[in-house]
Amino acid sequence: MNNPLCPWEPSTFLFFSSNVPALVHYSHFIAILAALVIALYVFASNPKTVIARLFLLLVSVFSIWTILDLILWATNRPDVVMFSWSLQILLEPMTYGVAFYLYYFFLYKKWPDLETNVFIACLFLPIVLLLHTEYNLIELYLSDCEAIEGPVAKYYTHFVHAALILCIAFMATRQIPRLASQKEKLVAMFFGFGLVSFLLAFSSGTIIGSLTDDWILSQYGLFGMPFFAAFIAYCIIKFEAFNVKVITAELLVVALGIGILSLVTLQDIQNVRIVASITFVLVCIIGYILIQNVRREIRLRIHIEAQEYALQVINRQQEGLLAFISHEVKGYLAKSQAAFAGILQGDYGKAPEPLLKMADTGLIDMRRGVDMVTDILEASNLRKGTVNYEKKSFDFRASVEEIVHDLTPMAEKKGLSLALSIADGDYTLVGDEAKIRRHVLRNLVENSIRYTLEGSVQVSLSRDARAIHFSTKDTGVGITKEDMRNLFTEGGHGKDSLKVNVDSTGYGLFIAKQVTQVHKGTIKAFSEGKGTGSEFLVELPLS
Amino acid sequence: MAALVVLSVSLTFWRTMVVKDFEIVDDVEFDVESDTDQL
């Protein structure tokens, strides 16, 4: 007989024929769709993790197996049945193999060693070598298009499944007690349970079919697949700390969508009842989880809002306290400063030499203290928005020249050369001269001198039609990438800045940035890194 | 191992789909007769 066919009409679109009960379509499509959606979601959440990739591979192998199963149900061609059936015999243990590697990586966070890989390869070798022979599939009965399995398909594959499940169980009992935290142990146990349930649900069709010869009944096994896929995904997500609430909502939508779509395609009322019942159970379970999550979310939001309000109150109280303390301390420091200045100037008569020396040191310390407290007060006022700015026209060039002139002795004392270059032009600017001088110009030039141990500091001034450009460039300690991020933040010290400049409050550049921004300008810092010097550039618009 | 799998699948394809080197037990006629008997 040439090309005999099984006694039903050929399949349409590979998956449809009168030989396929509607329930088979439902069990297969729901299993593939749900498992793929879950695996792709986990993969998309973190495509770089090996676990997400292995999980996607596991579901993909399972999906190919399920598609082949649908083809087997629908086709009436013996050659297609024999080929698809053979591939299934290869793919089923492969699913177990991927599951083994997934759990191994989940527990050990690394790939198995060579011996384990050789063991797995040896397990698979008979299947791979004998797949095309009669040891796998012997013959085919035409009345129901059913292949007669050889010893490899009938016995050896089940042996491989059992061996791999035992390996997973062995890994779990050996490694779980060694995990550090209770939470990790719990998640690993859940994950192992989910994985083994996934594999058993997967094989249940073959087991039920083999034992009862009822291949319709065996389809119910596939209904369990989405549950176990979801369970595994939940463990992966929980372990990797992704957002679980979103996946629950997505699962509910997918389950409802597939359920309703299936109802439309079914004609037999009995099947409609089965599908509707399964959809109802799915909606109840996933809906319950979703509602629980939403409730928890609402509780958390209320809690966060209350904490935010409490934080705001504490913040305001601390701001007030800080401003009060700073103000008071500044008063005492100013009085002491005046006392030391009086001693030095001879207001209390001629003082002995040691006292004069002590008064001189005291005066320098007091000035530093006053500057520090003033910075903190200024930053606090800027934060509260209680700083008033004058808006007057002034000569920016004269301010720069004065600052450089004032700070030249400081640079000379450190053996640095402080150079100033000014391009020709008019540098009249409208703004708060005092604040720009103190917080921007003085601060930047002083910083350059302080953070330069040897070499030079170059101050430059130029303008174009739009803005004035002021810059300081030094051969100092430079700024690391890490420090660059905190440079203009409140109290943002560089990692080693206090080693070079013990008086640093960490507020100088924060205030400089605030003052520049109020004048609609920008301030930027450039540095190649540690020990390469740095450059600060200020742009202040002319209009 | 991957190469072996590819080779194995190719050989299976050759055996089942190309040369169709497997036995088909034609039990369809028997069923038709039994159906006729029942009728």
PDB file of all heavy atoms in Angstrom, chain A residues 464-481:
ATOM      1  N   ASP A 464      30.917  86.657  25.836  1.00  0.00           N
ATOM      2  CA  ASP A 464      30.456  86.723  24.450  1.00  0.00           C
ATOM      3  C   ASP A 464      29.178  87.549  24.465  1.00  0.00           C
ATOM      4  O   ASP A 464      28.869  88.195  25.479  1.00  0.00           O
ATOM      5  CB  ASP A 464      30.256  85.314  23.861  1.00  0.00           C
ATOM      6  CG  ASP A 464      29.340  84.444  24.701  1.00  0.00           C
ATOM      7  OD1 ASP A 464      28.478  85.028  25.388  1.00  0.00           O
ATOM      8  OD2 ASP A 464      29.495  83.208  24.700  1.00  0.00           O
ATOM      9  N   ALA A 465      28.441  87.530  23.391  1.00  0.00           N
ATOM     10  CA  ALA A 465      27.255  88.401  23.306  1.00  0.00           C
ATOM     11  C   ALA A 465      26.191  87.998  24.322  1.00  0.00           C
ATOM     12  O   ALA A 465      25.371  88.819  24.737  1.00  0.00           O
ATOM     13  CB  ALA A 465      26.680  88.316  21.899  1.00  0.00           C
ATOM     14  N   ARG A 466      26.249  86.784  24.764  1.00  0.00           N
ATOM     15  CA  ARG A 466      25.167  86.253  25.595  1.00  0.00           C
ATOM     16  C   ARG A 466      25.494  86.213  27.089  1.00  0.00           C
ATOM     17  O   ARG A 466      24.659  86.512  27.938  1.00  0.00           O
ATOM     18  CB  ARG A 466      24.889  84.818  25.098  1.00  0.00           C
ATOM     19  CG  ARG A 466      23.593  84.194  25.487  1.00  0.00           C
ATOM     20  CD  ARG A 466      23.510  82.779  24.925  1.00  0.00           C
ATOM     21  NE  ARG A 466      24.706  81.985  25.249  1.00  0.00           N
ATOM     22  CZ  ARG A 466      24.902  81.387  26.423  1.00  0.00           C
ATOM     23  NH1 ARG A 466      24.014  81.470  27.367  1.00  0.00           N
ATOM     24  NH2 ARG A 466      26.015  80.688  26.633  1.00  0.00           N
ATOM     25  N   ALA A 467      26.744  85.824  27.406  1.00  0.00           N
ATOM     26  CA  ALA A 467      27.052  85.565  28.820  1.00  0.00           C
ATOM     27  C   ALA A 467      28.495  85.876  29.186  1.00  0.00           C
ATOM     28  O   ALA A 467      29.366  86.020  28.316  1.00  0.00           O
ATOM     29  CB  ALA A 467      26.761  84.099  29.131  1.00  0.00           C
ATOM     30  N   ILE A 468      28.711  85.977  30.503  1.00  0.00           N
ATOM     31  CA  ILE A 468      30.074  86.113  31.043  1.00  0.00           C
ATOM     32  C   ILE A 468      30.556  84.716  31.428  1.00  0.00           C
ATOM     33  O   ILE A 468      29.800  83.924  32.011  1.00  0.00           O
ATOM     34  CB  ILE A 468      30.051  87.030  32.292  1.00  0.00           C
ATOM     35  CG1 ILE A 468      29.798  88.477  31.871  1.00  0.00           C
ATOM     36  CG2 ILE A 468      31.336  86.903  33.086  1.00  0.00           C
ATOM     37  CD1 ILE A 468      29.667  89.438  33.032  1.00  0.00           C
ATOM     38  N   HIS A 469      31.815  84.403  31.089  1.00  0.00           N
ATOM     39  CA  HIS A 469      32.370  83.088  31.429  1.00  0.00           C
ATOM     40  C   HIS A 469      33.514  83.281  32.418  1.00  0.00           C
ATOM     41  O   HIS A 469      34.491  83.964  32.103  1.00  0.00           O
ATOM     42  CB  HIS A 469      32.912  82.392  30.186  1.00  0.00           C
ATOM     43  CG  HIS A 469      31.916  82.317  29.072  1.00  0.00           C
ATOM     44  ND1 HIS A 469      30.942  81.357  29.012  1.00  0.00           N
ATOM     45  CD2 HIS A 469      31.714  83.120  28.000  1.00  0.00           C
ATOM     46  CE1 HIS A 469      30.202  81.555  27.939  1.00  0.00           C
ATOM     47  NE2 HIS A 469      30.648  82.629  27.307  1.00  0.00           N
ATOM     48  N   PHE A 470      33.351  82.695  33.602  1.00  0.00           N
ATOM     49  CA  PHE A 470      34.377  82.787  34.632  1.00  0.00           C
ATOM     50  C   PHE A 470      34.871  81.369  34.917  1.00  0.00           C
ATOM     51  O   PHE A 470      34.058  80.443  35.078  1.00  0.00           O
ATOM     52  CB  PHE A 470      33.782  83.417  35.901  1.00  0.00           C
ATOM     53  CG  PHE A 470      34.670  83.295  37.099  1.00  0.00           C
ATOM     54  CD1 PHE A 470      35.737  84.167  37.288  1.00  0.00           C
ATOM     55  CD2 PHE A 470      34.447  82.304  38.047  1.00  0.00           C
ATOM     56  CE1 PHE A 470      36.559  84.042  38.398  1.00  0.00           C
ATOM     57  CE2 PHE A 470      35.262  82.187  39.160  1.00  0.00           C
ATOM     58  CZ  PHE A 470      36.326  83.059  39.336  1.00  0.00           C
ATOM     59  N   SER A 471      36.186  81.202  34.965  1.00  0.00           N
ATOM     60  CA  SER A 471      36.668  79.837  35.245  1.00  0.00           C
ATOM     61  C   SER A 471      37.903  79.844  36.135  1.00  0.00           C
ATOM     62  O   SER A 471      38.683  80.815  36.148  1.00  0.00           O
ATOM     63  CB  SER A 471      36.976  79.102  33.941  1.00  0.00           C
ATOM     64  OG  SER A 471      38.157  79.593  33.374  1.00  0.00           O
ATOM     65  N   THR A 472      38.049  78.755  36.898  1.00  0.00           N
ATOM     66  CA  THR A 472      39.280  78.541  37.663  1.00  0.00           C
ATOM     67  C   THR A 472      39.807  77.174  37.270  1.00  0.00           C
ATOM     68  O   THR A 472      39.050  76.194  37.201  1.00  0.00           O
ATOM     69  CB  THR A 472      39.014  78.532  39.186  1.00  0.00           C
ATOM     70  OG1 THR A 472      38.123  77.464  39.474  1.00  0.00           O
ATOM     71  CG2 THR A 472      38.430  79.823  39.676  1.00  0.00           C
ATOM     72  N   LYS A 473      41.096  77.138  36.967  1.00  0.00           N
ATOM     73  CA  LYS A 473      41.703  75.862  36.564  1.00  0.00           C
ATOM     74  C   LYS A 473      42.950  75.655  37.420  1.00  0.00           C
ATOM     75  O   LYS A 473      43.784  76.558  37.520  1.00  0.00           O
ATOM     76  CB  LYS A 473      42.072  75.926  35.089  1.00  0.00           C
ATOM     77  CG  LYS A 473      42.442  74.596  34.513  1.00  0.00           C
ATOM     78  CD  LYS A 473      42.626  74.685  33.018  1.00  0.00           C
ATOM     79  CE  LYS A 473      42.928  73.293  32.458  1.00  0.00           C
ATOM     80  NZ  LYS A 473      43.084  73.317  31.033  1.00  0.00           N
ATOM     81  N   ASP A 474      43.042  74.467  38.044  1.00  0.00           N
ATOM     82  CA  ASP A 474      44.191  74.263  38.930  1.00  0.00           C
ATOM     83  C   ASP A 474      44.894  72.942  38.641  1.00  0.00           C
ATOM     84  O   ASP A 474      44.399  72.115  37.872  1.00  0.00           O
ATOM     85  CB  ASP A 474      43.738  74.311  40.399  1.00  0.00           C
ATOM     86  CG  ASP A 474      42.721  73.246  40.721  1.00  0.00           C
ATOM     87  OD1 ASP A 474      43.026  72.056  40.504  1.00  0.00           O
ATOM     88  OD2 ASP A 474      41.608  73.580  41.187  1.00  0.00           O
ATOM     89  N   THR A 475      46.048  72.786  39.255  1.00  0.00           N
ATOM     90  CA  THR A 475      46.812  71.534  39.103  1.00  0.00           C
ATOM     91  C   THR A 475      46.722  70.717  40.395  1.00  0.00           C
ATOM     92  O   THR A 475      47.670  70.067  40.808  1.00  0.00           O
ATOM     93  CB  THR A 475      48.298  71.855  38.801  1.00  0.00           C
ATOM     94  OG1 THR A 475      48.772  72.712  39.857  1.00  0.00           O
ATOM     95  CG2 THR A 475      48.476  72.537  37.478  1.00  0.00           C
ATOM     96  N   GLY A 476      45.554  70.806  41.010  1.00  0.00           N
ATOM     97  CA  GLY A 476      45.375  70.241  42.359  1.00  0.00           C
ATOM     98  C   GLY A 476      45.036  68.762  42.403  1.00  0.00           C
ATOM     99  O   GLY A 476      45.362  67.996  41.486  1.00  0.00           O
ATOM    100  N   VAL A 477      44.326  68.385  43.473  1.00  0.00           N
ATOM    101  CA  VAL A 477      44.088  66.966  43.766  1.00  0.00           C
ATOM    102  C   VAL A 477      43.086  66.306  42.807  1.00  0.00           C
ATOM    103  O   VAL A 477      42.994  65.085  42.744  1.00  0.00           O
ATOM    104  CB  VAL A 477      43.586  66.765  45.217  1.00  0.00           C
ATOM    105  CG1 VAL A 477      44.660  67.126  46.213  1.00  0.00           C
ATOM    106  CG2 VAL A 477      42.314  67.559  45.472  1.00  0.00           C
ATOM    107  N   GLY A 478      42.324  67.140  42.073  1.00  0.00           N
ATOM    108  CA  GLY A 478      41.357  66.588  41.120  1.00  0.00           C
ATOM    109  C   GLY A 478      40.117  66.031  41.799  1.00  0.00           C
ATOM    110  O   GLY A 478      40.012  66.025  43.032  1.00  0.00           O
ATOM    111  N   ILE A 479      39.180  65.581  40.980  1.00  0.00           N
ATOM    112  CA  ILE A 479      37.909  65.073  41.521  1.00  0.00           C
ATOM    113  C   ILE A 479      37.649  63.695  40.908  1.00  0.00           C
ATOM    114  O   ILE A 479      37.690  63.540  39.685  1.00  0.00           O
ATOM    115  CB  ILE A 479      36.737  66.009  41.145  1.00  0.00           C
ATOM    116  CG1 ILE A 479      37.057  67.456  41.553  1.00  0.00           C
ATOM    117  CG2 ILE A 479      35.445  65.567  41.790  1.00  0.00           C
ATOM    118  CD1 ILE A 479      36.241  68.479  40.821  1.00  0.00           C
ATOM    119  N   THR A 480      37.366  62.722  41.756  1.00  0.00           N
ATOM    120  CA  THR A 480      37.065  61.379  41.232  1.00  0.00           C
ATOM    121  C   THR A 480      35.622  61.366  40.706  1.00  0.00           C
ATOM    122  O   THR A 480      34.823  62.241  41.051  1.00  0.00           O
ATOM    123  CB  THR A 480      37.190  60.310  42.337  1.00  0.00           C
ATOM    124  OG1 THR A 480      36.234  60.636  43.360  1.00  0.00           O
ATOM    125  CG2 THR A 480      38.574  60.272  42.923  1.00  0.00           C
ATOM    126  N   LYS A 481      35.313  60.375  39.898  1.00  0.00           N
ATOM    127  CA  LYS A 481      33.951  60.265  39.329  1.00  0.00           C
ATOM    128  C   LYS A 481      32.921  60.149  40.443  1.00  0.00           C
ATOM    129  O   LYS A 481      31.827  60.697  40.376  1.00  0.00           O
ATOM    130  CB  LYS A 481      33.857  59.033  38.426  1.00  0.00           C
ATOM    131  CG  LYS A 481      34.285  59.309  37.013  1.00  0.00           C
ATOM    132  CD  LYS A 481      34.036  58.106  36.149  1.00  0.00           C
ATOM    133  CE  LYS A 481      34.598  58.365  34.751  1.00  0.00           C
ATOM    134  NZ  LYS A 481      34.594  57.167  33.930  1.00  0.00           N
TER     135      LYS A 481
END
